[in-house]
Amino acid sequence: GGSASEDITAASRGLDLYPGSPSILLARADALLRRGWKADNAYALRDVERVLRSEEQGCCADGRPSVAVLSRLAQCLHDLAQDECASLVLKNMVGDRECLQAVVDTDSDVILEEMLSSPSEEIRRFATGALANISEVQKRVDAGGLTPSTQTPPSTASSGAGRPGSQSKLFGLL
């Protein structure tokens, strides 16, 4: 793609031809998040919510929203300073062992890292625990060459123990 503004324009034109297309809505949401103008995050959130309401590609075969859609939803909410809502979305993602690697793949762990500085102790504890789980699964995958879906992750309960920075995937891999 080109610049974020060009991508937004192209996606909007695509939606004129294919109204409600989940892939085009998500592409426009991504471009809006990249551009970052005032209110772009709210418009991106609107597009992601439209995908969640659609009965097409926004969901996995079992009817649950896909990790890609949920990660965009969490990013939009986080960017709009709605960390409590974003943490609820992320809890659903990190609570599913098959989603843990997808959380890393979609950079949703970056949102968790930013939540470590939240004024809410509950959100900080959740982020610390979720990052610890991601780090633990990543270590197991790296050590055994196994996929995260074959691993049993540690509990998703957040204890708040340890240094929050040391729980991060980024710090664990550097």
Side-chain angles (χ1 to χ4, degrees):
S3 73
S5 293
E6 291 170 343
D7 290 347
I8 293 166
T9 301
S12 295
R13 288 183 183 146
L15 288 168
D16 289 342
L17 297 172
Y18 304 99
S21 166
S23 59
I24 297 173
L25 284 165
L26 292 177
R28 185 168 69 180
D30 285 341
L32 286 162
L33 289 170
R34 279 195 335 262
R35 184 173 72 178
W37 290 1
K38 186 175 184 175
D40 276 355
N41 294 327
Y43 288 117
L45 178 60
R46 180 196 61 193
D47 284 351
V48 172
E49 287 175 335
R50 284 180 63 192
V51 172
L52 287 170
R53 284 193 305 266
S54 78
E55 295 186 19
E56 293 180 33
Q57 298 168 350
C59 295
C60 298
D62 63 4
R64 294 180 304 162
S66 71
V67 174
V69 174
L70 289 175
S71 70
R72 286 176 181 93
L73 177 60
Q75 182 65 55
C76 291
L77 292 167
H78 175 67
D79 289 349
L80 291 167
Q82 299 295 318
D83 281 347
E84 187 172 340
C85 294
S87 71
L88 292 173
V89 172
L90 292 170
K91 280 181 185 178
N92 287 324
M93 293 169 66
V94 300
D96 182 340
R97 65 187 171 113
E98 294 180 14
C99 288
L100 279 174
Q101 184 62 42
V103 169
V104 175
D105 293 343
T106 59
D107 292 330
S108 295
D109 56 322
V110 173
I111 300 169
L112 290 166
E113 290 170 357
E114 292 172 1
M115 287 181 174
L116 293 172
S117 61
S118 170
S120 165
E121 183 178 338
E122 182 179 342
I123 290 173
R124 287 191 312 269
R125 280 196 326 247
F126 160 70
T128 300
L131 288 166
N133 289 346
I134 291 168
S135 179
E136 183 63 30
V137 169
Q138 191 64 45
K139 285 179 196 172
R140 291 180 186 180
V141 170
D142 291 345
L146 301 172
T147 62
S149 61
T150 63
Q151 301 292 318
T152 302
S155 168
T156 57
S158 302
S159 68
R163 296 184 326 271
S166 67
Q167 309 299 328
S168 167
K169 161 196 79 116
L170 298 176
F171 289 106
L173 297 177
L174 293 176

